[in-house]
């Protein structure tokens, strides 16, 4: 069987109960470290600060060759346009550790969760805590005359009962044959820490548990594999920090949510990255305004020449095919139709090009009537040839004028010019003009033609009857047209 953690008293001295307290991560100071008394001697796990100090001392470190960069690290660097692979190897390690990651034997970044109120800087287990779970120690001297310690006799129960971290599951092909120490202190003050993860898996005969028990303890090693001393062997020089952790698959999601934290990175490491490695976005925002102004100017100039070209083309087609007065294109009113329709079927190709330049949904049908109706073909009168002399009648929406046209007096009906006419009113008047043009009879006023300079100023030209209106005639001669006179004339 495999056991990874023992909670509660076992009654035989191998482990003690542990109470885990929990906290939310607090924002640390954004000031860069200035503590000259800091020593990386295995009593703390502030690997990021040791790497920062070595960076300031001029060390670089080999670049990491990870299978992937954690999304949390990429997101953190993206704020400053920093690419992980562009950082010095030593800084890469600092960012990884501070963001809560170490590296598996296959170069995969692996998540670490501090437990309780701990952070990545203090998940190293103090010697006193290891002693409290009844582990024994190997004492080793170092070149600086400081003593380095490592566990000698200690089961997986014991060391995990003192652990302060959980590590995500990873593969370690050499786990069964690896005989390194799973907890140790010490370290060269000038060392560049590594972030190596190893799986310490072994089987031990424990009579109190009925025989063989298999343990699996994950541990972070801070020296290269070639410098890792074997179990119960002192290193030839300095010792090194080794941090044992639980396996993630030993806990439920609920336990993890309640008892661990996800590192978000120290504020001072973020300041370090921003101050020393942040890259410009490559775009100067001060250039945005002149760029926008230039774009607007180019668009305005293009629109002006487009309108000018379209107007000239419209006038050319109008004069060549006897269609619309050039004043029609003046754009005097919002309801002006700006899409010429076909005058004859032969003009389809010429006008189809122009129609792509002009569009007005509200007045499209009106122009179709004026230019496409068979009753109005050849009956378009140039607006300039009409001389308005006198208004003789006015209604709610229209008025009638006496005009001179080609030396003759004519009647001209048009919409009132005192207000802006809506497209449907103009269309209704165009339909009236078309109907009048279709009626030919000796007793019906003769239709002469239609003229306009804008569709708001559409004019129907009719024969002028000089004797006045029907209303006036009835008022003056009604006595001769009474019903009684009609009956007398009928029977006499």
């Amino acid at each position: 069987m495999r056991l990874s953690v023992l909670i509660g008293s076992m009654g035989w001295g191998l482990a003690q109960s542990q109470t885990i307290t929990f906290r939310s991560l607090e924002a640390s100071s954004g000031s860069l470290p200035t503590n000259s008394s800091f020593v990386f001697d295995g009593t703390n796990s502030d690997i990021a600060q040791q790497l920062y100090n070595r960076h300031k001392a001029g060390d670089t470190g080999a670049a990491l060759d990870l299978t992937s960069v954690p999304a949390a690290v990429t997101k953190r660097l993206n704020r400053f346009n920093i690419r992980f692979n562009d950082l010095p190897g030593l800084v890469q390690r600092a960012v990884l550790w501070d963001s809560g990651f170490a590296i598996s034997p296959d170069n995969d970044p692996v998540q670490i969760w501090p437990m309780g109120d701990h952070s990545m800087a203090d998940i190293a287990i103090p010697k006193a805590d290891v002693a409290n779970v009844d582990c024994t120690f190997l004492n080793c001297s170092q070149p600086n005359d400081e003593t380095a310690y490592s566990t000698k006799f200690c089961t997986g129960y014991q060391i995990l009962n003192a652990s302060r971290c959980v590590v995500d599951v990873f593969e370690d092909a050499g786990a069964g044959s690896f005989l390194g120490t799973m907890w140790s202190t010490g370290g060269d003050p000038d060392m560049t820490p590594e972030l190596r993860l190893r799986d310490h898996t072994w089987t031990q005969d424990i009579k109190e548990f009925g025989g063989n028990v298999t343990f699996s303890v994950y541990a972070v090693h801070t020296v290269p594999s070639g410098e890792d001393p074997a179990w119960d062997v002192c290193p030839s020089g300095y010792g090194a920090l080794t941090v044992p952790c639980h396996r993630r698959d030993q806990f439920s999601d609920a336990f993890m949510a309640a008892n661990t934290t996800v590192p978000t990175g120290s504020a001072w490491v973020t300041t370090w990255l921003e101050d020393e490695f942040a890259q410009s976005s490559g775009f100067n925002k001060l250039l945005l305004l002149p760029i926008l102004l230039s774009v607007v100017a180019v668009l305005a100039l293009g629109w002006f020449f487009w309108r000018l070209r379209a107007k000239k083309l419209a006038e050319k087609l109008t004069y060549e095919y006897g269609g619309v007065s050039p004043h029609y294109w003046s754009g005097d009113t919002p309801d002006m139709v700006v899409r010429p329709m076909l005058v004859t079927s032969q003009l389809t190709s010429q006008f189809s090009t122009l129609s792509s330049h002009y569009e007005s949904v509200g007045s499209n049908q009106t122009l179709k009537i004026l230019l496409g109706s068979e009753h109005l073909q050849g009956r378009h009168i140039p607006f300039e040839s009409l001389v308005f002399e006198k208004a003789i009648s006015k209604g709610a929406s229209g008025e009638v004028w006496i005009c001179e046209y080609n030396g003759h007096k004519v009647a001209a009906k048009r919409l009132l010019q005192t207000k802006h006419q809506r497209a449907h009113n103009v269309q209704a008047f165009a339909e009236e003009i078309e109907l009048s043009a279709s009626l030919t009879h000796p007793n019906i006023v003769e239709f002469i033609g239609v003229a306009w300079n804008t569709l708001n100023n559409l004019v129907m030209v009719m024969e002028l009857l000089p004797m006045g209106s029907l209303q006036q005639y009835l008022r003056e001669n009604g006595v001769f047209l009474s019903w009684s006179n009609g009956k007398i004339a009928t029977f006499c």
Side-chain angles (χ1 to χ4, degrees):
M1 60 180 171
R2 170 177 289 184
L3 300 176
S4 65
V5 63
L6 183 64
I7 303 296
S9 174
M10 301 303 299
W12 50 286
L14 287 179
Q16 296 179 351
S17 63
Q18 178 180 5
T19 300
I20 302 176
T21 57
F22 316 113
R23 67 172 179 87
S24 60
L25 286 178
E26 297 178 357
S28 59
S29 171
S31 301
L32 296 175
T34 57
N35 185 4
S36 59
S37 63
F38 173 81
V39 178
F40 190 68
D41 57 3
T43 60
N44 66 77
S45 58
D46 199 351
I47 294 176
Q49 182 166 345
Q50 175 66 6
L51 291 168
Y52 171 78
N53 290 341
R54 299 318 307 158
H55 172 74
K56 290 302 181 182
D59 294 351
T60 55
L64 295 176
D65 185 21
L66 301 178
T67 57
S68 63
V69 179
V73 173
T74 300
K75 181 179 179 180
R76 190 176 182 185
L77 297 178
N78 282 347
R79 294 173 53 192
F80 309 113
N81 296 308
I82 301 173
R83 294 178 66 252
F84 182 80
N85 291 336
D86 292 338
L87 293 172
L90 185 149
V91 182
Q92 291 176 334
R93 291 167 173 81
V95 176
L96 273 179
W97 182 258
D98 188 61
S99 301
F101 294 91
I103 305 170
S104 76
D106 293 329
N107 285 331
D108 296 321
V110 182
Q111 180 75 61
I112 299 176
W113 293 271
M115 299 180 70
D117 61 351
H118 299 294
S119 68
M120 294 298 292
D122 69 349
I123 58 173
I125 307 174
K127 179 176 179 290
D129 289 3
V130 179
N132 285 340
V133 293
D134 294 331
C135 291
T136 61
F137 301 98
L138 177 67
N139 302 341
C140 302
S141 61
Q142 300 183 105
N144 61 359
D145 295 328
E146 297 290 337
T147 302
Y149 301 95
S150 62
T151 49
K152 185 172 184 178
F153 296 109
C154 193
T155 67
Y157 300 141
Q158 294 164 286
I159 199 64
L160 289 177
N161 221 24
S163 176
R164 298 178 171 185
C165 52
V166 179
V167 173
D168 208 358
V169 177
F170 63 91
E171 294 294 328
D172 185 350
S177 59
F178 181 62
L179 298 177
T181 181
M182 60 182 175
W183 175 89
S184 63
T185 66
D188 183 349
D190 297 330
M191 73 178 295
T192 298
E194 297 292 337
L195 311 176
R196 294 190 308 110
L197 282 169
R198 292 305 308 263
D199 179 2
H200 295 253
T201 296
W202 77 99
T203 300
Q204 186 173 346
D205 183 9
I206 301 178
K207 294 181 180 180
E208 290 82 357
F209 278 80
N212 290 335
V213 178
T214 299
F215 299 99
S216 178
V217 177
Y218 285 168
V220 180
H221 293 254
T222 57
V223 293
S225 58
E227 300 177 20
D228 235 350
W231 172 77
D232 201 25
V233 176
C234 284
S236 58
Y238 284 95
L241 171 68
T242 305
V243 182
C245 298
H246 299 273
R247 295 171 56 108
R248 170 63 180 86
D249 56 5
Q250 299 298 323
F251 298 115
S252 66
D253 291 344
F255 176 90
M256 292 294 294
N259 299 285
T260 66
T261 54
V262 178
T264 57
S266 303
W268 74 263
V269 173
T270 300
T271 300
W272 176 24
L273 292 170
E274 181 178 12
D275 289 352
E276 194 164 342
F277 302 102
Q279 300 294 317
S280 170
S281 64
F283 177 75
N284 188 345
K285 293 182 179 179
L286 294 177
L287 297 177
L288 184 60
L289 181 59
I291 290 175
L292 290 177
L293 292 176
S294 299
V295 171
V296 171
V298 170
L299 291 176
L301 191 62
W303 179 85
F304 172 78
F305 283 109
W306 171 77
R307 289 285 296 173
L308 183 62
R309 178 177 178 274
K311 183 176 180 180
K312 289 182 178 180
L313 179 60
E315 292 178 356
K316 177 181 178 182
L317 293 176
T318 299
Y319 282 125
E320 286 182 356
Y321 299 106
V324 187
S325 166
H327 294 279
Y328 167 75
W329 304 103
S330 64
D332 292 338
T333 66
D335 273 343
M336 182 193 74
V337 177
V338 286
R339 182 175 179 180
M341 303 301 293
L342 305 184
V343 176
T344 65
S345 59
Q346 289 79 9
L347 301 183
T348 301
S349 60
Q350 290 90 338
F351 276 98
S352 61
T353 301
L354 187 60
S355 66
S356 65
H357 296 292
Y358 299 96
E359 187 70 33
S360 177
V361 176
S363 304
N364 187 60
Q365 187 62 27
T366 299
L367 191 59
K368 183 177 181 180
I369 294 171
L370 296 176
L371 298 181
S373 172
E374 61 177 318
H375 302 295
L376 297 177
Q377 295 299 313
R379 309 181 83 170
H380 300 152
I381 297 174
F383 189 86
E384 297 83 354
S385 64
L386 292 174
V387 179
F388 288 80
E389 296 181 346
K390 178 182 178 181
I392 58 175
S393 177
K394 179 181 293 187
S397 60
E399 58 186 2
V400 178
W401 283 69
I402 295 177
C403 293
E404 182 177 316
Y405 170 60
N406 284 346
H408 300 281
K409 301 295 183 181
V410 294
K413 180 178 180 180
R414 66 179 181 182
L415 296 175
L416 289 178
Q417 300 300 293
T418 57
K419 64 177 182 178
H420 172 66
Q421 297 293 341
R422 295 186 178 276
H424 68 270
N425 293 333
V426 178
Q427 180 180 331
F429 186 36
E431 292 170 350
E432 178 186 343
I433 293 172
E434 182 184 27
L435 177 61
S436 298
S438 68
L439 301 176
T440 303
H441 191 275
N443 295 333
I444 297 178
V445 175
E446 180 184 359
F447 177 85
I448 297 176
V450 60
W452 68 90
N453 56 1
T454 71
L455 290 190
N456 264 1
N457 202 17
L458 183 61
V459 179
M460 176 170 59
V461 182
M462 308 285 289
E463 173 190 5
L464 176 64
L465 301 181
M467 294 183 65
S469 67
L470 177 60
Q471 181 182 21
Q472 179 184 351
Y473 182 84
L474 291 175
R475 185 170 56 248
E476 296 175 353
N477 302 283
V479 64
F480 302 110
L481 297 175
S482 67
W483 176 244
S484 59
N485 286 341
K487 288 192 291 182
I488 294 173
T490 301
F491 295 106
C492 293

